[in-house]
Amino acid sequence: MYGCDVAVVGAGIVGAACASECARAGLSVIVFDRGPVGGGTTAAAMGHVVVMDDSEAQFALTSYSRRLWRDLAAELPAEVHYEACGTLWVAADEEEMAEARRKEEFCRVRGLRAEILDEAALREAEPNLRPGLRGGLLIPDDAVLYPPSAAMFFLGRAPQNKIEFRAGSEVRALNPDGGVILGDGTRISAGLTVNAAGCGSPDLTAGLPVKKRKGHLVVTHRYPGHIRHQIVELGYLKSAHSVSSDSVAFNVQPRANGQMLIGSSRQYGAEHPGVEFGILRRMLERAAMYLPDLGRLVAIRSWAGFRPATPDKLPFIGPSAGNQKIWLATGHEGLGITSSLATGRLLADMVLNRPSEIPVAPYSPARSLLEGKAHG
Amino acid sequence: MSDANSRFEVVVVGAGPAGLAAAAAAAESGRRTLVLDATPWLGGQIWRGREAKGGSGSAKRWLARLQATDAVVARQTTVVAAPRPGVLLAESPEGPREIGWETLILTIGARELFLPFPGWTLPGVVGIGGLQVLVKGGWPLDGKRIVIAGSGPLLFAAGAEYRAAGADVVLIAEQTDLGKLARFGLSLPRLAPRKITQAAQYQASLLGVPYRPGCWAVSAQGADRLEGVTLRSSRRTWTERCDVLATGFGFLPNLELPRLFGCRTANGAAVVDDRQESSQAGIFIAGEPTGIGGEGRALVEGLIAGFSAAGRLERAGRLEKKRRRAMAFSRAMDRAFALREEVRNLASPETLICRCEDVARRDLEKFGDWRAAKLHTRCGMGPCQGRICGGAVEKLYGWDAASNRPPVFPVQIGTLRDPEPGSRGASK
């Protein structure tokens, strides 16, 4: 039985964006997820729409996607809590300040707004940061949002009869001829299948170099105005680049309701899904180095989640190397929220043979096979 | 962790009747025992205020029994997490504290079940237990017209207390019907003879107050605050003018800590064996978390847990008969005061279910389970972390609203960040 044009496995924000873009182009889509919409990495994510520049390809994807978010902002329903609060990159010392200047120039040359803040301007922008920080870089067009509601909005945004969502349906395998085989053995055929299962994607596409990278977050009571931007330390670049050891970085977010999210941590090889106190403490310790009043604020919940990471820090978007009927949209690590819209758009462009606004080759699933372990 | 004040053979979390009994039994058996509680007093919610007054009745006896032992007491100490196996992290007036345990006894009691109905968020609508706390704290009710509506024996006790505080108790509406009540009453002499005297005392102090079985509040009205309540019985629907509506639909076991430790739960209660040991070896659970049963069941389960934790299984076994009787009483209570369908289902589409995050019933209806509803409506994500709405959705939809993510209670970030393993705050 022919089920649909496109079967999407995974109703996280990336799968939802892919489904939405395909359906809006007229294709019939069924989305499968073992849980609810946005219940995996999307549920655990911070929800930071941020332009990153580790590589030109990462910059191209994140800046394109941020533009799509900005274009969509007026349409986003209230529950998405989209706030263009900007990202404030904080430089603790001269070395980090040099990095701030490099990023500022990088953005400016490419036509994005960026503003260097000296020590006084930083104090004015975020009075609760500790004195003595060197300065910072404000990226005013970055934003924050509540990811599960965004994923839900994507699914609902397509024409009604074009997307069907099957919650609670576990996909056991991808049919090599297109379509999926469900946990109960049911086969549903499709023109092509998109593996957007995030951390579960290697279970469905053997050999896919996507690894789980664990992270922790803490949410506080409501403290409206305690911080005004998503604040990230530039030291983050030093710690986040390590692909072997556990690391923490100062990364806090003001929620629209006045709550604050406090991150972040990165762990490879951690399989236990629960909160780990050792790393949680290190993370909060790091955050308190930047926000000295943090210890007096009240935390109401902490949680841990897994990010789907690739060796070269770029996602897989496009047909898989071995099978043109099985496509991939996975491996976004910590940038899935940011890159979801661009991923959906690029995937639909390729499916429909439309021209894309940015080159798709850097995200081709074939690349890791070509380049082997060069990035690993 | 070498500090003598930070490591104990037996740690009892919660100093209500079950906790006092457990700590006394463990300490009398020669175990180095700590009993801690989030409140400044011993006795839990049920014996609140008794310690300061020198106690009375069973509260006095059990407080004295504990005080005669070497058990260490830590007040205003709230367990928030379990950072490592065998270690509790607690917030105390002296700051964060790590406490090591070899055997753990969880006697963390229960909380009131709140069922949402139209108007339940109006000022003037309160929980029965919450108002009892205010009254015990000296809050005057002089001349206030109060309607009590809900279910369970607490309605009587609360009515008597409110009246003693000067309230004009207009009506006590018990949702369960007369037939069930009568059957329950007839079982009392066999199951809990002492309850009869207690009931008679309440009845005497409530002379002249109408007590209506088979009657429940369907909505509360008022512009800015409560002005009246609409009640319903099998025969009619009418409105009573009142200043305060106190509601209570029974209790829910506190299961955050058992769940944090991975103890098995079933049907909304912790699962224990006949020595009160949970599915996790070395962790015992007694009192309300194993099933709502009140003071009598809490005391006997507490003793059994304390003796079992101390390895005195034979001594614990001698209490088996008492325990069985207490459990039979619990089951009779459950049957007698089971909530009728109409009462579980009073919320209208506009009624707020989650007061922290302003989530109305109609927002929840689209979802098939708690996790999906929570993710997409933020129901239960506010400061109470689902302690109130979780019980409501369990009754409304049969959803399992369990959560076991630390901290167990909201806590200063400083406590999570920088606990100073040690000793401060312990006092006898």
Side-chain angles (χ1 to χ4, degrees), chain A residues 4 6 15 34 80 147 251 273 300-301 316 369:
Chain A
C4 56
V6 180
R34 60 186 167 205
V80 176
N251 185 345
I300 62 172
R301 186 170 72 247
F316 296 121
L369 300 176

Side-chain angles (χ1 to χ4, degrees), chain A residues 36-40 43 81 146 148-149 152 220-222 257 259 262 275 277 280-281 284-285 288 294-303, chain B residues 81-84 89 98 356-357 367 371-372 374-376 378 380-383 385 405-407 409-419:
Chain A
V37 175
H81 294 300
Y146 181 61
S149 293
M152 187 69 102
T220 69
H221 267 317
R222 297 183 181 192
N257 64 9
Q259 290 180 321
I262 305 169
V275 170
F277 260 77
L280 188 76
R281 280 178 180 162
L284 293 172
E285 198 62 50
L294 203 63
R296 292 209 307 268
L297 308 189
V298 169
I300 62 172
R301 186 170 72 247
S302 67
W303 66 91
Chain B
R84 295 184 298 286
L89 173 62
E98 283 197 346
C356 298
E357 296 287 325
F367 300 95
R371 183 163 150 70
K374 185 174 170 179
L375 262 184
H376 291 289
R378 303 187 59 81
M381 286 204 188
Q385 287 290 290
R405 293 189 294 195
F409 295 100
V411 63
Q412 287 202 332
I413 287 170
T415 298
L416 293 177
R417 189 186 97 216
D418 179 31

Side-chain angles (χ1 to χ4, degrees), chain B residues 190-193 320-330:
Chain B
R190 181 171 48 88
L191 295 171
E320 184 56 25
K321 209 172 135 187
K322 253 186 148 171
R323 176 179 185 264
R324 282 179 194 276
R325 199 163 62 191
M327 289 181 73
F329 177 69
S330 292

Side-chain angles (χ1 to χ4, degrees), chain A residues 6 18 21-22 25 27 61 192 315-320 324 327-329 342-366:
Chain A
V6 180
C18 292
E21 289 295 328
C22 288
L27 301 171
L61 186 67
L192 61 91
F316 296 121
I317 309 169
S320 64
Q324 294 293 303
W327 290 49
L328 297 169
T343 300
R345 187 69 59 86
L346 294 177
L347 182 125
D349 289 342
M350 283 185 266
V351 169
L352 296 157
N353 283 315
R354 296 187 305 214
S356 298
E357 284 197 51
I358 63 169
V360 294
Y363 323 110
S364 164

Side-chain angles (χ1 to χ4, degrees), chain A residues 145-275:
Chain A
L145 56 81
Y146 181 61
S149 293
M152 187 69 102
F153 169 71
F154 290 168
L155 288 185
R157 192 170 170 241
Q160 279 292 309
N161 54 352
K162 287 294 182 187
I163 286 192
E164 181 189 337
F165 172 54
R166 297 203 187 166
S169 46
E170 175 111 43
V171 170
R172 188 207 296 164
L174 307 184
N175 189 335
D177 301 326
V180 299
I181 304 164
L182 300 183
D184 64 4
T186 310
R187 287 169 179 265
I188 291 159
S189 73
L192 61 91
T193 306
V194 180
N195 180 353
C199 289
S201 55
D203 300 337
L204 297 171
T205 301
L208 193 63
V210 169
K211 286 210 169 69
K212 295 197 285 189
R213 204 172 190 190
K214 188 170 178 176
H216 286 76
L217 284 176
V218 170
V219 63
T220 69
H221 267 317
R222 297 183 181 192
Y223 301 101
H226 194 83
I227 55 169
R228 301 160 184 175
H229 310 82
Q230 174 106 19
I231 315 177
V232 190
E233 61 162 304
L234 278 161
Y236 168 86
L237 299 160
K238 300 167 198 163
S239 58
H241 280 191
S242 155
V243 291
S244 53
S245 61
D246 296 352
S247 62
V248 296
F250 169 61
N251 185 345
V252 295
Q253 175 179 108
R255 305 289 315 171
N257 64 9
Q259 290 180 321
M260 286 161 56
L261 285 179
I262 305 169
S264 59
S265 71
R266 284 163 191 274
Q267 294 165 271
Y268 271 122
E271 289 292 325
H272 172 63
V275 170

